[in-house]
Amino acid sequence: MLGLMQDYPLLVHTVLDHAALNHGEREMVTRSIEGPMRRYNYRDLRVRSLRVAKALQLEGVGIGDRIATMAWNTDRHVETWYGIMGLGAICHTLNPRLFAEQLIYIINHAEDRILFIDLTFVPLAEAIAAHLPTITKYIILTDDEHMPETSLANAVAFETWLDGADADFSWASFDENTAAALCYTSGTTGNPKGVLYSHRSNVLHGLMCNQPDVLGVNSSDNILPIVPMFHANAWALTYAVPTAGASLIMPGAGMDGRSIYELLDTEKVSASAAVPTVWLGLLQHLKENDLELPWLKRVLIGGAACPRMMIETLENKYDVEVIHGWGMTEMSPVGTTGKMKNSTMHLKGEELIKLKLKQGRTPYMVEMKIVDDDGNELPRDGKTAGHLLVRGPAVSSAYYNHDKSILLEGGWFDSGDIAHIDELGYMQITDRDKDVIKSGGEWISSIEIENTAIGCEGIAEAAVIGIAHPKWTERPLLIVVRETGSEVSENEILAYLDGKIAKWWIPEAVEFIDEIPHTATGKIQKMKLREQFGGYRF
Ligand code: ADP
């Protein structure tokens, strides 16, 4: 027998309708690419998004068409995002930090029809346009006054283009499982793969992120999503924030410590989200200028392991709660967050920081487990590490136009991470499965050595890779970038590590280099390092 409740499809534009009707006066503030701050409210956002949808329809765009954006977090990007999805087309966010060949591959693979771009990326688009046969129009996210000279075919200023459409438009209606957005993983191995979100998965994931033990967004918050919309849905914030009726503060292209601080201060931002490198920039700016953070209450930090120093400084010095999170593009992306719970509230000092360094526990709608190489489930004892598998309504079941199934028996998706989970459900990532160091039949966590090494005076960045060893199969090599002016030596670093990690985890050697290679989403490119140190022997 079926229940007798309404068949109300979970469509992302209903989020915007809700925000405009019930929180219409709440502000959306943008640091524009042209320079000045721009402010309007959710009512304006909805009207302008409807106009984008209508203008796209006039271009002949319809359900299932892929429309790409290459843009910072701004009001115009959000309008474009909701306009595309509200028409039933697919909003394909492009990461401008990818290599040109990767962008060309991705745009052609998705067969994008129109490209919306920020002024910043016009030169980048011009450089690759000759290789993009499916793109018939370039819409530059600016007005006529700021429109640059460009060689791009059919280029038009967004505001001029939008003038051709009023808001007399009704959102399209379709099944909630209809595709809404497309985002390619950066493809550290092989070609990038397209993760195709649905309206349903995006709405559910946005609601999931508003739970108090995730980011807990509510109607009195002012939220600054620093994590870009092209990095896995800005971690759901562009859905979660309007759902809650919180104010949305958009940083545009200003990712440096000074620009971020200005917004945190003038807009009284209560919560924000970004990768560790962004917070490093902010902390440095605060220290150099002796500043405080009176409004900021909590920050979500993820995408890479959050260093201990960052948690300690933000929490103890600035009274900002750090919520350490883990996730991946294939998970929409949030998988776990490390909020305290009743049974951990009493923790203090070292015990507390140890828990905060873990990536956290799953909210309702994410399931996870760890398994050994043969797929047998491993215990939740906080020690035994295994392959981390996940499933849930906002986890990928396949990649776009890719026939290979990606699910294991039982519908589990292998995250590619190695982790352990404790009795209370807190998970800790110890490695990527490709990076794990196998020494004498046991696994050594490269991430834990790196995080510990970072605490040593004079080290700016650290990476650990496994080097072949005749007796132990592999042994860890620590690769270090020194802070400017530092002379820290191999012996000093090894002495620092002594007693902080297991004896047999102590690296065999330390090598110093000028720069550690990073991916477009800021992760250390271990593959590159392994190539670079390919012939290395201890
Ligand atoms: P890519 O950067 O390859 O496009 P994602 O941005 O989806 O992919 O990155 C997902 C991966 O990032 C995870 O599988 C994990 O290895 C790593 N990651 C994310 N958050 C954390 C975290 N808090 N600690 C450690 N690793 C993390």
Side-chain angles (χ1 to χ4, degrees):
M1 190 186 296
L2 294 180
L4 293 172
M5 304 310 280
Q6 296 183 7
D7 183 13
Y8 180 97
L10 302 176
L11 303 175
V12 297
H13 44 267
T14 60
V15 165
L16 202 50
D17 291 344
H18 167 80
L21 185 63
N22 301 292
H23 306 281
E25 81 294 354
R26 287 291 266 155
E27 268 192 324
M28 164 130 187
V29 182
T30 296
R31 183 192 294 284
S32 72
I33 308 304
E34 295 84 355
M37 298 297 291
R38 247 191 332 254
R39 337 178 65 93
Y40 63 30
N41 62 31
Y42 277 129
R43 273 191 292 272
D44 304 318
L45 172 64
R46 178 173 179 273
V47 166
R48 287 175 57 90
S49 304
L50 281 165
R51 288 174 59 201
V52 171
K54 183 160 178 177
L56 282 170
Q57 196 180 48
L58 293 171
E59 298 277 358
V61 173
I63 293 207
D65 285 336
R66 275 80 63 209
I67 305 298
T69 66
M70 199 195 287
W72 300 108
N73 291 4
T74 67
D75 44 8
R76 287 183 180 135
H77 196 184
V78 180
E79 293 157 11
T80 306
W81 164 291
Y82 276 104
I84 296 169
M85 297 187 212
L87 187 61
I90 299 169
C91 180
H92 176 195
T93 47
L94 293 166
N95 183 345
R97 295 174 186 144
L98 292 175
F99 295 118
E101 310 86 77
Q102 284 179 315
L103 282 169
I104 293 168
Y105 171 86
I106 288 173
I107 294 170
N108 287 320
H109 187 264
E111 298 175 276
D112 295 322
R113 287 184 53 183
I114 294 175
L115 177 53
F116 288 86
I117 41 171
D118 265 336
L119 282 168
T120 328
F121 306 121
V122 170
L124 176 55
E126 285 173 341
I128 59 174
H131 306 282
L132 308 176
T134 61
I135 304 264
T136 55
K137 191 172 199 131
Y138 293 85
I139 302 177
I140 323 279
L141 292 160
T142 189
D143 50 24
D144 252 352
E145 197 189 325
H146 296 92
M147 185 68 179
E149 281 285 323
T150 172
S151 60
L152 293 171
N154 280 328
V156 58
F158 179 69
E159 294 297 334
T160 314
W161 176 75
L162 208 55
D163 280 343
D166 57 28
D168 182 18
F169 181 81
S170 305
W171 301 122
S173 61
F174 38 79
D175 188 274
E176 64 177 11
N177 288 303
T178 303
L182 181 61
C183 180
Y184 281 70
T185 62
S186 16
T188 29
T189 50
N191 278 325
K193 294 182 278 300
V195 174
L196 190 59
Y197 307 106
S198 69
H199 281 258
R200 175 187 149 86
S201 72
N202 279 342
V203 171
L204 288 176
H205 181 258
L207 290 173
M208 182 187 97
C209 291
N210 281 356
Q211 293 179 76
D213 277 9
V214 187
L215 196 60
V217 182
N218 66 63
S219 58
S220 41
D221 271 321
N222 297 328
I223 307 282
L224 173 71
I226 307 176
V227 53
M229 290 161 72
F230 56 73
H231 191 185
N233 293 315
W235 300 352
L237 291 173
T238 26
Y239 304 113
V241 178
T243 309
S247 209
L248 201 49
I249 319 294
M250 296 304 239
M255 299 287 168
D256 56 292
R258 172 184 301 277
S259 309
I260 295 298
Y261 172 76
E262 261 173 35
L263 286 185
L264 291 174
D265 190 50
T266 53
E267 302 307 325
K268 299 188 170 53
V269 169
S270 53
S272 182
V275 294
T277 13
V278 168
W279 300 114
L280 273 183
L282 177 74
L283 288 178
Q284 201 171 345
H285 180 73
L286 294 176
K287 192 169 157 196
E288 283 166 7
N289 298 280
D290 201 14
L291 300 166
E292 296 289 322
L293 293 172
W295 313 107
L296 191 63
K297 299 283 171 269
R298 57 203 196 281
V299 289
L300 178 60
I301 304 184
C306 183
R308 179 183 178 124
M309 169 281 287
M310 193 170 285
I311 300 178
E312 287 177 334
T313 314
L314 280 165
E315 298 216 327
N316 304 339
K317 184 157 192 262
Y318 297 104
D319 202 17
V320 174
E321 182 192 6
V322 172
I323 307 166
H324 191 185
W326 164 86
M328 57 196 313
T329 309
E330 286 89 337
M331 299 181 73
S332 297
V334 177
T336 58
T337 45
K339 283 273 239 186
M340 295 299 104
K341 60 173 166 177
N342 188 279
S343 32
T344 61
M345 282 297 191
H346 64 282
L347 294 180
K348 293 215 166 42
E350 194 56 27
E351 276 187 324
L352 176 63
I353 190 78
K354 280 215 167 112
L355 188 71
K356 290 229 141 202
L357 281 166
K358 295 189 175 190
Q359 278 73 6
R361 51 201 168 79
T362 50
Y364 173 63
M365 281 195 265
V366 179
E367 284 185 55
M368 70 177 174
K369 67 173 179 180
I370 42 169
V371 299
D372 64 16
D373 285 342
D374 301 320
N376 304 308
E377 187 161 357
L378 294 168
R380 289 184 168 215
D381 60 7
K383 307 195 284 277
T384 314
H387 303 274
L388 181 62
L389 312 187
V390 291
R391 65 180 178 192
V395 179
S396 295
S397 63
Y399 293 113
Y400 176 66
N401 262 350
H402 210 269
D403 27 0
K404 230 173 82 204
S405 162
I406 58 171
L407 297 188
L408 307 173
E409 204 186 318
W412 293 94
F413 173 77
D414 185 346
S415 68
D417 286 318
I418 304 294
H420 52 71
I421 307 175
D422 68 20
E423 298 83 351
L424 296 174
Y426 288 84
M427 178 275 287
Q428 182 153 27
I429 302 278
T430 59
D431 247 314
R432 293 289 290 167
D433 57 12
K434 301 183 284 289
D435 301 334
V436 84
I437 300 164
K438 293 193 170 128
S439 180
E442 301 274 354
W443 288 352
I444 294 180
S445 161
S446 64
I447 293 188
E448 200 170 326
I449 306 177
E450 286 158 10
N451 281 348
T452 313
I454 279 287
C456 175
E457 189 94 17
I459 295 191
E461 201 173 7
V464 173
I465 56 170
I467 297 285
H469 190 281
K471 179 162 177 210
W472 301 109
T473 317
E474 273 184 337
R475 291 291 299 150
L477 170 69
L478 175 61
I479 300 163
V480 163
V481 177
R482 288 193 185 102
E483 275 176 356
T484 14
S486 159
E487 300 271 305
V488 66
S489 70
E490 173 169 20
N491 283 343
E492 283 164 339
I493 296 171
L494 294 178
Y496 174 84
L497 291 176
D498 193 20
K500 296 192 177 67
I501 51 175
K503 264 230 146 16
W504 63 281
W505 285 25
I506 302 276
E508 289 293 309
V510 182
E511 286 291 323
F512 296 92
I513 59 175
D514 293 335
E515 202 186 338
I516 285 179
H518 289 99
T519 68
T521 48
K523 295 182 175 56
I524 296 175
Q525 273 183 312
K526 297 251 173 119
M527 219 166 58
K528 279 257 165 69
L529 285 176
R530 279 192 289 265
E531 274 166 30
Q532 198 173 330
F533 288 87
Y536 191 92
R537 291 294 167 265
F538 293 117

